[in-house]
Amino acid sequence: MSKIPLKEKIGYALGDAAAGGITWKVMSIAFPFFFTNVFGLSLADAGILMLIARLFDVVTDPLMGSLADRTQSRWGTYRPWLLFGAIPLGLVFALLLYTPDLGLTGKRIYAYSLYLTMMAVYTAVNVPYGSLLGVMTDDDNEKNKFSSYRMVGAYAMGFITLLSFPYLKNWIGGSEAHQYAVIGASLGLLATVMTFLCGYLTKERLKPVRAEKFSFRQFADLFKNKPWIYLTLIGICTNFFNGFRYAVAAYLFEYCIHGEVSFSGLIINYTVFMTFGEVTCMIFGGLSPVFTKWLGSKRKTFIFASLICVFFSVTFFFIPMQKEYMWLMIAHVVLSSIGVGIYSPLLWSMYADVADYATQKFGVSSTGLIFSSGTMAQKLGTAISGSIVAFFLGWAGLRSVTDAFGNEVIDLASVTPTVQTMVWALFSLIPAVIAVIMGVLAYFFPIKK
């Protein structure tokens, strides 16, 4: 197979720059806070919304993977979903960050229907995007490189998105609802362009061994695939780890740090705070193949990365909740993100290994179905972690009240030391436990590449 040009790797990276660096990043870090503090939903409404919508994807993702595997067109098997799904992805994302004047019941209907639609559109684009890795090359080193480019693209765009967020809000001005609406429209347009370019610049070189007729046997075969079971559980854990941190970051600044912090003109709010982790993930995502070569296998490298996440998550919990310690907090985010950056590309490369294993074992390609479990794990982990954050904060005593206009707003009197400690633990100790489980699962992963 001839050498794959750089522009195609950059094109492939644009796909996750749009999906992971823009839409999913904002949905993970900004949506929980946006729905409860700007849009006007209660904590319970927001928690149930994110849980129901993303559990919905547990069903739709595998079905989408099976559908993508059977797609035949002049553009290939997986690329047409990127080319024709680009506009719906950006449009629905933009509408989700718009706050309509509909009253509480109308807002609930709007949020639930748009969020479910967004999950469906994201699935229709992101499952084929992940599956594309399995048909662009059969060279394992090239797969690792594509996966690294993907992670660098996602984290680089995530860095830009999160860093620019507070400056864009200040530049736009007006109410917070207006600021989020304009940012949503702008980022939605950018996500559309990037997704389309990904489909346009990439090439499918391998033809899947198709099962032309739909059969539930492929779904049953998944549970006979031991590497798939382990990797799905690992994938859920990786997204639990990230999901808790991203979902609680805004509450950490709002209720523990008491607002944004400024150092020599640099505004540090919850998005910028997590930006330091994004740039670290971008750097170490690119270096992931180097660590893999050094340690000798993807499995060992994954365990090593998990241990980094455990250590620096635990030590974060003991940092005082004071603005004076902001740079120490940032240092811990950076150091723990080294582990995230190393394991993130490995995860998708390991899904390609599992897809190859499934083809050899069962005789039929199920690449789309295998990779759909990756996005399913992503959504399940983020959904449950985001919902748990809302429910745990409510359990700790944080509550909403109805204002004079009939909107749900947070009762600031309910922000007690217990709530603050819960926020701190959700950002540190609980992710640390998840990272331990993740490392143990990686240790027993059957494919030793």
Side-chain angles (χ1 to χ4, degrees), residues 39-276:
F39 190 87
L41 295 182
S42 67
L43 282 166
D45 279 332
I48 293 171
L49 165 63
M50 289 183 286
L51 183 61
I52 290 177
R54 292 181 184 173
L55 287 179
F56 170 70
D57 287 321
V58 175
V59 176
T60 59
D61 277 27
L63 291 175
M64 183 63 227
S66 184
L67 176 61
D69 282 336
R70 289 163 177 77
T71 300
Q72 298 185 61
S73 75
R74 57 182 290 192
W75 300 280
T77 299
Y78 304 113
R79 289 174 60 241
W81 294 95
L82 298 169
L83 295 170
F84 296 102
I87 291 177
L89 179 73
L91 178 61
V92 179
F93 172 79
L95 290 173
L96 260 176
L97 284 172
Y98 173 72
T99 303
D101 186 14
L102 297 175
L104 184 56
T105 301
K107 284 183 177 181
R108 282 177 180 151
I109 295 172
Y110 181 91
Y112 274 75
S113 59
L114 263 293
Y115 206 84
L116 282 169
T117 303
M118 182 65 200
M119 290 296 97
V121 173
Y122 186 91
T123 296
V125 170
N126 204 242
V127 168
Y129 169 72
S131 305
L132 189 59
L133 180 61
V135 295
M136 288 193 295
T137 178
D138 60 359
D139 186 288
D140 199 50
N141 288 327
E142 286 294 326
K143 287 179 183 178
N144 286 343
K145 290 177 183 177
F146 267 115
S147 193
S148 292
Y149 270 87
R150 171 183 183 169
M151 290 298 103
V152 170
Y155 286 123
M157 195 62 225
F159 168 77
I160 294 170
T161 301
L162 300 184
L163 182 64
S164 64
F165 218 87
Y167 299 97
L168 287 173
K169 288 178 67 178
N170 289 345
W171 178 69
I172 293 166
S175 67
E176 277 201 287
H178 174 69
Q179 293 167 4
Y180 276 93
V182 174
I183 290 173
S186 303
L187 293 180
L189 176 61
L190 186 58
T192 292
V193 173
M194 287 181 167
T195 302
F196 181 83
L197 287 175
C198 176
Y200 180 76
L201 293 172
T202 51
K203 183 178 180 180
E204 297 185 21
R205 294 175 177 81
L206 307 176
K207 187 175 178 64
V209 182
R210 288 183 205 277
E212 299 295 351
K213 295 182 179 180
F214 178 83
S215 171
F216 282 104
R217 178 182 173 182
Q218 283 186 292
F219 295 92
D221 286 344
L222 285 178
F223 294 94
K224 300 175 185 177
N225 187 332
K226 189 176 178 181
W228 175 82
I229 294 172
Y230 272 95
L231 194 57
T232 298
L233 294 174
I234 291 170
I236 291 172
C237 286
T238 63
N239 288 286
F240 269 146
F241 182 84
N242 290 327
F244 280 115
R245 286 159 35 113
Y246 280 103
V248 82
Y251 297 106
L252 184 147
F253 266 77
E254 187 75 8
Y255 303 135
C256 299
I257 307 300
H258 305 295
E260 63 188 30
V261 182
S262 295
F263 289 109
S264 302
L266 175 64
I267 301 173
I268 301 178
N269 72 341
Y270 70 99
T271 61
V272 177
F273 182 66
M274 298 306 291
T275 296
F276 290 96

